[in-house]
mmCIF file of all heavy atoms in Angstrom:
data_model
loop_
_atom_site.group_PDB
_atom_site.id
_atom_site.type_symbol
_atom_site.label_atom_id
_atom_site.label_comp_id
_atom_site.label_asym_id
_atom_site.label_seq_id
_atom_site.Cartn_x
_atom_site.Cartn_y
_atom_site.Cartn_z
ATOM 1 N N THR A 146 7.746 1.388 11.055
ATOM 2 C CA THR A 146 8.735 1.224 12.125
ATOM 3 C C THR A 146 8.150 0.261 13.161
ATOM 4 O O THR A 146 8.508 -0.909 13.197
ATOM 5 C CB THR A 146 9.084 2.589 12.738
ATOM 6 O OG1 THR A 146 7.861 3.233 13.149
ATOM 7 C CG2 THR A 146 9.804 3.469 11.735
ATOM 8 N N GLY A 147 7.217 0.744 13.962
ATOM 9 C CA GLY A 147 6.603 -0.106 14.994
ATOM 10 C C GLY A 147 5.941 -1.345 14.422
ATOM 11 O O GLY A 147 5.978 -2.424 15.020
ATOM 12 N N LEU A 148 5.349 -1.228 13.237
ATOM 13 C CA LEU A 148 4.677 -2.394 12.635
ATOM 14 C C LEU A 148 5.605 -3.162 11.699
ATOM 15 O O LEU A 148 5.236 -4.234 11.198
ATOM 16 C CB LEU A 148 3.433 -1.958 11.838
ATOM 17 C CG LEU A 148 2.318 -1.255 12.612
ATOM 18 C CD1 LEU A 148 1.107 -1.032 11.692
ATOM 19 C CD2 LEU A 148 1.898 -2.048 13.836
ATOM 20 N N GLY A 149 6.774 -2.608 11.455
ATOM 21 C CA GLY A 149 7.685 -3.201 10.483
ATOM 22 C C GLY A 149 8.000 -4.674 10.737
ATOM 23 O O GLY A 149 7.900 -5.501 9.822
ATOM 24 N N PRO A 150 8.374 -5.038 11.984
ATOM 25 C CA PRO A 150 8.697 -6.444 12.235
ATOM 26 C C PRO A 150 7.507 -7.369 11.986
ATOM 27 O O PRO A 150 7.682 -8.532 11.627
ATOM 28 C CB PRO A 150 9.083 -6.454 13.718
ATOM 29 C CG PRO A 150 9.470 -5.049 14.018
ATOM 30 C CD PRO A 150 8.626 -4.186 13.141
ATOM 31 N N LEU A 151 6.314 -6.836 12.144
ATOM 32 C CA LEU A 151 5.113 -7.664 11.949
ATOM 33 C C LEU A 151 4.851 -7.886 10.462
ATOM 34 O O LEU A 151 4.544 -8.999 10.027
ATOM 35 C CB LEU A 151 3.904 -6.996 12.614
ATOM 36 C CG LEU A 151 4.131 -6.559 14.070
ATOM 37 C CD1 LEU A 151 2.912 -5.830 14.600
ATOM 38 C CD2 LEU A 151 4.461 -7.771 14.939
ATOM 39 N N LEU A 152 4.999 -6.820 9.676
ATOM 40 C CA LEU A 152 4.769 -6.926 8.229
ATOM 41 C C LEU A 152 5.877 -7.755 7.576
ATOM 42 O O LEU A 152 5.612 -8.614 6.732
ATOM 43 C CB LEU A 152 4.680 -5.524 7.615
ATOM 44 C CG LEU A 152 3.452 -4.711 8.099
ATOM 45 C CD1 LEU A 152 3.624 -3.222 7.834
ATOM 46 C CD2 LEU A 152 2.176 -5.200 7.429
ATOM 47 N N LEU A 153 7.119 -7.538 8.005
ATOM 48 C CA LEU A 153 8.229 -8.332 7.470
ATOM 49 C C LEU A 153 8.093 -9.784 7.931
ATOM 50 O O LEU A 153 8.306 -10.724 7.155
ATOM 51 C CB LEU A 153 9.573 -7.759 7.957
ATOM 52 C CG LEU A 153 10.816 -8.477 7.438
ATOM 53 C CD1 LEU A 153 10.962 -8.296 5.923
ATOM 54 C CD2 LEU A 153 12.085 -7.965 8.142
ATOM 55 N N GLY A 154 7.704 -9.955 9.201
ATOM 56 C CA GLY A 154 7.523 -11.304 9.755
ATOM 57 C C GLY A 154 6.461 -12.072 8.984
ATOM 58 O O GLY A 154 6.611 -13.262 8.709
ATOM 59 N N LYS A 155 5.394 -11.385 8.607
ATOM 60 C CA LYS A 155 4.334 -12.036 7.826
ATOM 61 C C LYS A 155 4.908 -12.555 6.514
ATOM 62 O O LYS A 155 4.625 -13.684 6.105
ATOM 63 C CB LYS A 155 3.200 -11.022 7.567
ATOM 64 C CG LYS A 155 2.054 -11.558 6.750
ATOM 65 C CD LYS A 155 1.260 -12.584 7.531
ATOM 66 C CE LYS A 155 0.239 -13.268 6.640
ATOM 67 N NZ LYS A 155 -0.415 -14.390 7.313
ATOM 68 N N GLU A 156 5.712 -11.736 5.858
ATOM 69 C CA GLU A 156 6.355 -12.153 4.593
ATOM 70 C C GLU A 156 7.200 -13.401 4.792
ATOM 71 O O GLU A 156 7.345 -14.220 3.908
ATOM 72 C CB GLU A 156 7.273 -11.032 4.074
ATOM 73 C CG GLU A 156 6.554 -9.900 3.388
ATOM 74 C CD GLU A 156 7.511 -8.817 2.883
ATOM 75 O OE1 GLU A 156 8.745 -9.053 2.821
ATOM 76 O OE2 GLU A 156 7.009 -7.738 2.575
ATOM 77 N N LYS A 157 7.788 -13.518 5.994
ATOM 78 C CA LYS A 157 8.690 -14.640 6.262
ATOM 79 C C LYS A 157 7.964 -15.828 6.901
ATOM 80 O O LYS A 157 8.604 -16.771 7.357
ATOM 81 C CB LYS A 157 9.821 -14.186 7.191
ATOM 82 C CG LYS A 157 10.784 -13.199 6.531
ATOM 83 C CD LYS A 157 11.877 -12.799 7.517
ATOM 84 C CE LYS A 157 12.803 -11.763 6.935
ATOM 85 N NZ LYS A 157 14.100 -12.261 6.516
ATOM 86 N N GLY A 158 6.642 -15.736 7.024
ATOM 87 C CA GLY A 158 5.862 -16.872 7.522
ATOM 88 C C GLY A 158 5.606 -16.884 9.018
ATOM 89 O O GLY A 158 5.105 -17.864 9.560
ATOM 90 N N TYR A 159 5.936 -15.793 9.716
ATOM 91 C CA TYR A 159 5.620 -15.703 11.155
ATOM 92 C C TYR A 159 4.123 -15.450 11.324
ATOM 93 O O TYR A 159 3.503 -14.787 10.487
ATOM 94 C CB TYR A 159 6.329 -14.526 11.808
ATOM 95 C CG TYR A 159 7.819 -14.690 12.054
ATOM 96 C CD1 TYR A 159 8.724 -14.751 10.995
ATOM 97 C CD2 TYR A 159 8.324 -14.728 13.345
ATOM 98 C CE1 TYR A 159 10.083 -14.862 11.225
ATOM 99 C CE2 TYR A 159 9.681 -14.841 13.583
ATOM 100 C CZ TYR A 159 10.559 -14.901 12.513
ATOM 101 O OH TYR A 159 11.900 -15.004 12.742
ATOM 102 N N ASN A 160 3.587 -15.931 12.437
ATOM 103 C CA ASN A 160 2.202 -15.614 12.776
ATOM 104 C C ASN A 160 2.172 -14.883 14.106
ATOM 105 O O ASN A 160 2.492 -15.481 15.131
ATOM 106 C CB ASN A 160 1.365 -16.891 12.864
ATOM 107 C CG ASN A 160 1.117 -17.460 11.491
ATOM 108 O OD1 ASN A 160 0.550 -16.790 10.626
ATOM 109 N ND2 ASN A 160 1.572 -18.676 11.258
ATOM 110 N N PHE A 161 1.843 -13.630 14.059
ATOM 111 C CA PHE A 161 1.720 -12.860 15.293
ATOM 112 C C PHE A 161 0.246 -12.626 15.586
ATOM 113 O O PHE A 161 -0.583 -12.623 14.684
ATOM 114 C CB PHE A 161 2.417 -11.494 15.151
ATOM 115 C CG PHE A 161 3.905 -11.595 14.959
ATOM 116 C CD1 PHE A 161 4.495 -11.202 13.766
ATOM 117 C CD2 PHE A 161 4.717 -12.094 15.972
ATOM 118 C CE1 PHE A 161 5.866 -11.303 13.588
ATOM 119 C CE2 PHE A 161 6.090 -12.193 15.803
ATOM 120 C CZ PHE A 161 6.670 -11.801 14.602
ATOM 121 N N LYS A 162 -0.027 -12.404 16.877
ATOM 122 C CA LYS A 162 -1.389 -12.037 17.257
ATOM 123 C C LYS A 162 -1.292 -10.609 17.794
ATOM 124 O O LYS A 162 -0.737 -10.386 18.865
ATOM 125 C CB LYS A 162 -1.914 -13.019 18.307
ATOM 126 C CG LYS A 162 -3.324 -12.733 18.730
ATOM 127 C CD LYS A 162 -4.075 -13.976 19.169
ATOM 128 C CE LYS A 162 -5.530 -13.650 19.508
ATOM 129 N NZ LYS A 162 -6.231 -12.912 18.468
ATOM 130 N N VAL A 163 -1.798 -9.683 17.021
ATOM 131 C CA VAL A 163 -1.571 -8.273 17.337
ATOM 132 C C VAL A 163 -2.820 -7.641 17.958
ATOM 133 O O VAL A 163 -3.936 -7.833 17.464
ATOM 134 C CB VAL A 163 -1.190 -7.492 16.059
ATOM 135 C CG1 VAL A 163 -0.872 -6.039 16.396
ATOM 136 C CG2 VAL A 163 -0.017 -8.161 15.356
ATOM 137 N N TYR A 164 -2.605 -6.901 19.054
ATOM 138 C CA TYR A 164 -3.662 -6.077 19.645
ATOM 139 C C TYR A 164 -3.313 -4.626 19.346
ATOM 140 O O TYR A 164 -2.177 -4.198 19.563
ATOM 141 C CB TYR A 164 -3.752 -6.298 21.159
ATOM 142 C CG TYR A 164 -4.340 -7.648 21.492
ATOM 143 C CD1 TYR A 164 -3.547 -8.798 21.484
ATOM 144 C CD2 TYR A 164 -5.695 -7.786 21.777
ATOM 145 C CE1 TYR A 164 -4.092 -10.044 21.757
ATOM 146 C CE2 TYR A 164 -6.244 -9.028 22.047
ATOM 147 C CZ TYR A 164 -5.444 -10.160 22.033
ATOM 148 O OH TYR A 164 -5.987 -11.385 22.293
ATOM 149 N N THR A 165 -4.264 -3.884 18.832
ATOM 150 C CA THR A 165 -4.000 -2.473 18.569
ATOM 151 C C THR A 165 -4.940 -1.584 19.374
ATOM 152 O O THR A 165 -6.158 -1.766 19.352
ATOM 153 C CB THR A 165 -4.087 -2.140 17.055
ATOM 154 O OG1 THR A 165 -3.816 -0.760 16.878
ATOM 155 C CG2 THR A 165 -5.423 -2.481 16.433
ATOM 156 N N ASP A 166 -4.325 -0.657 20.124
ATOM 157 C CA ASP A 166 -5.130 0.341 20.842
ATOM 158 C C ASP A 166 -5.841 1.209 19.805
ATOM 159 O O ASP A 166 -5.222 1.609 18.806
ATOM 160 C CB ASP A 166 -4.217 1.280 21.651
ATOM 161 C CG ASP A 166 -3.607 0.610 22.875
ATOM 162 O OD1 ASP A 166 -4.076 -0.461 23.259
ATOM 163 O OD2 ASP A 166 -2.661 1.198 23.427
ATOM 164 N N GLU A 167 -7.065 1.579 20.064
ATOM 165 C CA GLU A 167 -7.772 2.397 19.060
ATOM 166 C C GLU A 167 -7.133 3.786 18.894
ATOM 167 O O GLU A 167 -7.180 4.371 17.830
ATOM 168 C CB GLU A 167 -9.255 2.550 19.412
ATOM 169 C CG GLU A 167 -9.511 3.321 20.674
ATOM 170 C CD GLU A 167 -10.992 3.587 20.915
ATOM 171 O OE1 GLU A 167 -11.826 3.327 20.037
ATOM 172 O OE2 GLU A 167 -11.313 4.066 22.016
ATOM 173 N N THR A 168 -6.515 4.301 19.976
ATOM 174 C CA THR A 168 -5.775 5.562 19.951
ATOM 175 C C THR A 168 -6.678 6.794 19.817
ATOM 176 O O THR A 168 -6.763 7.439 18.767
ATOM 177 C CB THR A 168 -4.685 5.582 18.839
ATOM 178 O OG1 THR A 168 -4.024 4.310 18.788
ATOM 179 C CG2 THR A 168 -3.642 6.647 19.130
ATOM 180 N N ARG A 169 -7.339 7.094 20.891
ATOM 181 C CA ARG A 169 -8.142 8.308 20.986
ATOM 182 C C ARG A 169 -7.235 9.530 20.940
ATOM 183 O O ARG A 169 -6.126 9.474 21.465
ATOM 184 C CB ARG A 169 -8.931 8.285 22.310
ATOM 185 C CG ARG A 169 -10.143 7.387 22.294
ATOM 186 C CD ARG A 169 -11.338 7.994 21.598
ATOM 187 N NE ARG A 169 -11.931 9.075 22.383
ATOM 188 C CZ ARG A 169 -12.574 10.113 21.842
ATOM 189 N NH1 ARG A 169 -12.729 10.221 20.543
ATOM 190 N NH2 ARG A 169 -13.085 11.046 22.608
ATOM 191 N N PRO A 170 -7.642 10.674 20.393
ATOM 192 C CA PRO A 170 -8.965 10.911 19.835
ATOM 193 C C PRO A 170 -9.072 10.676 18.317
ATOM 194 O O PRO A 170 -10.180 10.712 17.784
ATOM 195 C CB PRO A 170 -9.184 12.392 20.124
ATOM 196 C CG PRO A 170 -7.815 12.980 20.037
ATOM 197 C CD PRO A 170 -6.871 11.916 20.558
ATOM 198 N N LEU A 171 -7.962 10.463 17.614
ATOM 199 C CA LEU A 171 -8.078 10.410 16.147
ATOM 200 C C LEU A 171 -8.084 8.994 15.595
ATOM 201 O O LEU A 171 -8.131 8.793 14.378
ATOM 202 C CB LEU A 171 -6.984 11.275 15.493
ATOM 203 C CG LEU A 171 -7.175 12.773 15.795
ATOM 204 C CD1 LEU A 171 -6.064 13.609 15.183
ATOM 205 C CD2 LEU A 171 -8.530 13.257 15.282
ATOM 206 N N LEU A 172 -8.013 8.029 16.487
ATOM 207 C CA LEU A 172 -8.294 6.626 16.139
ATOM 208 C C LEU A 172 -7.374 6.037 15.072
ATOM 209 O O LEU A 172 -7.807 5.234 14.244
ATOM 210 C CB LEU A 172 -9.767 6.494 15.714
ATOM 211 C CG LEU A 172 -10.783 7.056 16.715
ATOM 212 C CD1 LEU A 172 -12.190 6.956 16.151
ATOM 213 C CD2 LEU A 172 -10.683 6.382 18.059
#
Side-chain angles (χ1 to χ4, degrees):
T146 54
L148 299 186
L151 310 176
L152 294 162
L153 182 66
K155 179 70 188 172
E156 282 180 14
K157 292 180 183 256
Y159 285 68
N160 287 302
F161 295 114
K162 181 151 183 51
V163 183
Y164 288 82
T165 180
D166 288 346
E167 65 174 351
T168 319
R169 283 281 288 151
L171 294 178
L172 307 176

